[in-house]
Amino acid sequence: MTAYPGFSRPGQAIAAVYCPAFSPPALPARTPVYWPAFGLHILLAASAAGCAVWLAPSAHAAETAPNAAHLHYPHTTSVPVRRAPATTVVPAKEAPAEVTSSAAPAAKPGFWDNERLLPPLTSRPEAYGQPQSLELAPLPTALLHQGPWGVFNANTGAAAGFGTVGYYAVSRWAEDWSSLRDKRNRLDAMDALKYIPFNQEGDIYLSFSGNFRQHNFYDQRAGFGTIKKDPAYRNNFRWNLGADLHLGEHVRLYGELMSGQAAGVNYYGYAGGRWRSKLDAQQAFVEVRGKVLGATVGGMAGRMTFLDAPPYFTAGSVYPTLPYSWNGLRGYAFWKNFRVDGFYLTLTDNSPPIAFHDTVGWRSRLFGAYTSYALPKFSFLGKSSQVFVDSFYYGIILASSSLPTAAGGSIAGSTHRDTPGMRVWGNAGPVEFSVGGMWQGGEFRAAKSGPTRPVSAYSVNATLSWRFAKWAGHPAVGIQVDDVSGGNMNKSQTSSWGSFLSPYVPSAYYLDISTYIGQSNIIDVGPIATVSPTPNTTLLMKVPVVWRNSKQDAIYASGTAFYNLRPHGAYTATMPQASFTWRATRHITLSIDGEYIFASKTMINAGASSGAFVQSNLELTF
C-alpha cells in the first residue's frame, strides 16, 4: 500500500517489526527470490511483434471467445441475440461437419458498431465484483472463452474463482482459446495471435495477450482534505504482455511482463513500487491439470494473481499502476456443483527500482481455502435462477501493521488474522442478491516486545436488487448495507481489539469510488442502481451514507491506513457517486467516474473537508 500524508500507518513514523516466526523453514524471510527465470524471457520475446501488429490501425483488432462450457446466465433466457455472429463452438478434438447458427445474422462490420462481439460489461476489471449479475442477454458459447467450469461460469465466470472471464479475463491466464483449433471459429484478425499451434493435433499451442491502461484522477480535497495537495491531478499508465504456452492437455506455462509509470500536477501518494515500476514479471507460473475422482483438478506454482474472494474483501487493487501479484501454491478441484480452492501465497515486493528484481515478499501472506456449492437451478417468477453458497477461510499475516490511538497517533506492530466466513449470492428470478458474513480472530503484537492483544471482529455485507429486465435499459434498483466492526482506542493495550481488517483492498466499486473510506469500522446504507442505456454502455449509481461503527475507533481509508482525524460523532459522510462505461469496440473501453463527498459537521469540526473526486479510464486490450 502507498503511504499518504495525513494518515497514520506502517512505514511513516513507526518501525516495522521482523518476526522470525513468520518465515517458512525452507526460505528465510530476508532471502530475495527473483522471478522470472530465463525461460520466461524467451516465452515473452515474441510478444513485442504481436504488440506492434495490435497497435497498427485495424477495425477488427479484438479478441473473441471460444470454448465455454456453460453460458446461460441465471436471469436470462436462452434466446438468440443480434450482436452475436453466426457460429458455434467447435470442440477441441472434434470438428463438426458444418457450422450452424444459433443467432440472428450478424450486423455489418464497423469500427464503432456496438452490436458486434462486444465484451460483457462486467469484465471491466475495476467493476468485476459489483454488480455481479449485469449480463443483460445470453451470449452464444462460441463468443466466450471460459474454461471447463460448468455452472461456475455463470455471472461472467465470477463464480469460478478466477475473476470474470468474458471476451477477455481480468486474469488473462483464465482464458481458453482452444476452440480456435478449428479455423471456422476465428472471427477476428487478432485470432492469429490467440492460437499458434506447434503440433498436428493442435494441443500444443501458444496464446499472446496484451493490455494498455491509463487512469486519470482529480481530487478536490483528497482524503477529506488531510492531504495538502489541492486540487491534485494524478495519472498513471501501464502496459503488459502475456504468453500462455499449453503443452498438451495437462500442462501449461504462463508468463506476463508489466511496467507502469505515474505522473501529474500537484500529485501525491506515489511512494512504493506499485505506482512506478520498471519492467518485471507480474506473473510466472506452471499449471498441471487433470481428472481425479470425477473432478477437474489442478495445481499452480509460481507468481500469479488471486481473485477468489468476495469483492468486499479484495479485488486485486486496481487503482495503483500494478495490481497485486502473489507467489506460492494454489490447488483447485471442480465437480458438477461443487468446487474447492486451497492456497498459500506471499505478496510480491515491487519496491526494487531495477528491472527484473521484484522479489517474494514474506512480510505479507494470504492463505486458506474457498468452497462453493451451486444449488440446483430453479425457476422463480418465470425466470431461470441460480444461487451459490460459499464458505471460506482466509489467514492473514502482516509483519508491519499498526493500531490507532485516541491522541491521533499509532501503535506499531504486526498482526495475524484468521477469517472464516460464508456468502450466499446469485439470483432468484429478477432478484439479484449477495449476503455474506465474516468473523475475524487472531492477535496484534506491539513492536519492541510490547503487549499482545487478541482480536475479535466481524463484517456483514449485503446487496439486494430487483432487475426490470423488460424495461428500457434493463435497470436494476436496490439497496446496499454493510456493518463492519471497529475497535476501542480507549481500552488498555492488552484488551481485545475489535476492528475488522481487509488489508488487500476491496473493490473500489463496491462502496466508495474515491477509496477515501475503507471496509473497517463502518456502517453504511444506501440505494444502488444499474442501467444499460445501450448494448455497449452501462451506468452504476449509488448513494451510501456512512457512519463509524465505533466512535472510539478511527476512520479508515483502508485496512492498513487510517486518518488522524478524531471527530466526536459517528456520522461520517454521504457520498453520491456514478460510474459510466462505454465499450467503444472489442478492444477499446472508456469510462468516467464521479463522486462528491459530503463530510459531516463533526468531521468538518475535526478538520475534514468536503470535496469532489473524478476519474477517467482508457483501456486497450487484445
Side-chain angles (χ1 to χ4, degrees):
M1 296 295 296
T2 302
Y4 296 96
F7 297 167
S8 292
R9 55 158 299 143
Q12 287 188 338
I14 59 176
V17 179
Y18 169 68
C19 299
F22 294 165
S23 304
L27 188 61
R30 295 172 179 170
T31 302
V33 179
Y34 297 101
W35 296 85
F38 178 70
L40 173 62
H41 299 175
I42 297 176
L43 184 62
L44 288 163
S47 61
C51 184
V53 173
W54 170 64
L55 290 175
S58 171
H60 304 288
E63 47 184 74
T64 56
N67 200 16
H70 173 83
L71 175 64
H72 302 307
Y73 302 122
H75 60 282
T76 59
T77 57
S78 178
V79 295
V81 288
R82 288 186 61 244
R83 60 176 175 174
T87 185
T88 59
V89 172
V90 178
K93 296 184 178 179
E94 182 180 356
E98 59 180 299
V99 177
T100 60
S101 173
S102 62
K108 293 181 180 180
F111 189 78
W112 301 107
D113 186 355
N114 62 18
E115 297 291 323
R116 294 188 70 248
L117 307 177
L118 290 168
L121 289 161
T122 45
S123 63
R124 179 183 174 196
E126 294 88 341
Y128 87 91
Q130 172 66 26
Q132 288 194 326
S133 299
L134 191 59
E135 301 84 7
L136 303 179
L139 297 176
T141 54
L143 302 183
L144 295 180
H145 42 88
Q146 300 172 327
W149 312 129
V151 68
F152 295 101
N153 279 329
N155 301 96
T156 322
F162 305 127
T164 54
V165 184
Y167 274 72
Y168 54 86
V170 176
S171 297
R172 305 304 301 274
W173 49 264
E175 302 167 359
D176 180 359
W177 294 93
S178 60
S179 73
L180 296 186
R181 187 175 307 178
D182 190 290
K183 294 183 179 180
R184 290 171 291 185
N185 278 345
R186 300 185 180 185
L187 308 174
D188 186 272
M190 298 305 294
D191 287 349
L193 293 176
K194 292 301 179 181
Y195 179 77
I196 305 173
F198 294 113
N199 66 341
Q200 186 174 2
E201 292 78 11
D203 60 351
I204 300 177
Y205 67 93
L206 181 64
S207 179
F208 288 112
S209 61
N211 173 265
F212 172 83
R213 188 200 76 173
Q214 182 183 25
H215 278 188
N216 301 287
F217 305 91
Y218 165 80
D219 294 89
Q220 186 183 29
R221 298 284 191 275
F224 288 98
T226 61
I227 298 171
K228 306 305 178 183
K229 301 283 188 178
D230 183 23
Y233 300 89
R234 298 175 292 148
N235 61 75
N236 63 27
F237 65 89
R238 73 165 183 239
W239 67 266
N240 59 285
L241 293 172
D244 192 0
L245 177 61
H246 291 252
L247 302 175
E249 181 181 354
H250 302 294
V251 179
R252 63 98 169 253
L253 305 172
Y254 181 81
E256 182 177 277
L257 298 179
M258 185 175 291
S259 177
Q261 292 298 323
V265 177
N266 208 28
Y267 60 81
Y268 67 92
Y270 289 157
R274 295 184 55 233
W275 290 92
R276 292 170 171 158
S277 178
K278 294 191 176 181
L279 188 65
D280 217 310
Q282 178 72 4
Q283 301 188 72
F285 65 84
V286 59
E287 179 182 17
V288 179
R289 182 191 300 177
K291 289 286 188 178
V292 178
L293 299 176
T296 299
V297 177
M300 303 164 64
R303 177 171 295 174
M304 65 196 77
T305 55
F306 180 80
L307 293 171
D308 199 1
Y312 45 81
F313 186 79
T314 184
S317 183
V318 296
Y319 275 9
T321 315
L322 270 63
Y324 285 136
S325 72
W326 301 85
N327 309 270
L329 302 173
R330 182 177 185 178
Y332 58 83
F334 285 80
W335 286 267
K336 181 180 179 181
N337 291 91
F338 180 77
R339 73 172 180 91
V340 60
D341 184 7
F343 45 91
Y344 189 97
L345 305 167
T346 66
L347 194 63
T348 302
D349 181 2
N350 305 106
S351 60
I354 305 172
F356 297 109
H357 274 67
D358 288 357
T359 63
V360 174
W362 294 107
R363 301 177 65 81
S364 183
R365 308 186 196 183
L366 177 66
F367 50 91
Y370 199 103
T371 70
S372 182
Y373 175 68
L375 297 179
K377 293 184 179 180
F378 61 97
S379 180
F380 181 68
L381 296 180
K383 295 183 180 295
S384 178
S385 306
Q386 179 67 67
V387 174
F388 297 91
V389 179
D390 301 352
S391 59
F392 50 84
Y393 162 78
Y394 296 109
I396 300 168
I397 293 177
L398 299 177
S400 295
S401 184
S402 63
L403 300 183
T405 64
S410 62
I411 302 170
S414 60
T415 193
H416 177 175
R417 302 290 178 101
D418 298 301
T419 311
M422 290 192 66
R423 181 187 181 210
V424 181
W425 65 285
N427 81 292
V431 180
E432 300 169 1
F433 65 93
S434 171
V435 180
M438 295 178 280
W439 177 83
Q440 193 168 76
E443 62 183 15
F444 172 81
R445 304 177 184 177
K448 299 180 179 179
S449 301
T452 296
R453 303 180 70 168
V455 171
S456 180
Y458 68 87
S459 176
V460 178
N461 312 88
T463 58
L464 176 69
S465 296
W466 186 286
R467 176 74 65 181
F468 297 91
K470 295 183 179 180
W471 291 17
H474 310 280
V477 180
I479 189 171
Q480 176 175 331
V481 179
D482 299 281
D483 181 2
V484 186
S485 66
N488 189 333
M489 298 177 294
N490 298 316
K491 286 187 177 181
S492 71
Q493 293 192 28
T494 58
S495 64
S496 176
W497 180 249
S499 186
F500 189 86
L501 176 67
S502 295
Y504 303 121
V505 188
S507 169
Y509 291 80
Y510 180 76
L511 175 65
D512 175 22
I513 291 174
S514 71
T515 67
Y516 294 166
I517 294 288
Q519 288 283 313
S520 295
N521 190 33
I522 61 168
I523 296 175
D524 67 83
V525 61
I528 58 174
T530 62
V531 62
S532 186
T534 68
N536 67 333
T537 60
T538 185
L539 177 64
L540 166 65
M541 299 169 286
K542 57 175 58 181
V543 188
V545 182
V546 181
W547 296 263
R548 281 185 293 166
N549 185 302
S550 169
K551 291 192 293 184
Q552 284 72 46
D553 197 2
I555 300 166
Y556 290 78
S558 70
T560 57
F562 40 82
Y563 296 96
N564 289 331
L565 301 169
R566 297 293 184 266
H568 295 293
Y571 170 51
T572 303
T574 299
M575 304 181 295
Q577 53 196 276
S579 174
F580 179 77
T581 301
W582 174 34
R583 292 285 197 199
T585 73
R586 282 173 281 171
H587 295 303
I588 303 174
T589 301
L590 300 100
S591 63
I592 185 167
D593 309 323
E595 176 179 357
Y596 196 88
I597 299 90
F598 292 95
S600 68
K601 183 177 180 180
T602 58
M603 284 281 288
I604 293 174
N605 290 339
S609 300
S610 300
F613 172 85
V614 180
Q615 177 191 194
S616 64
N617 312 283
L618 167 65
E619 294 227 20
L620 308 175
T621 306
F622 79 91

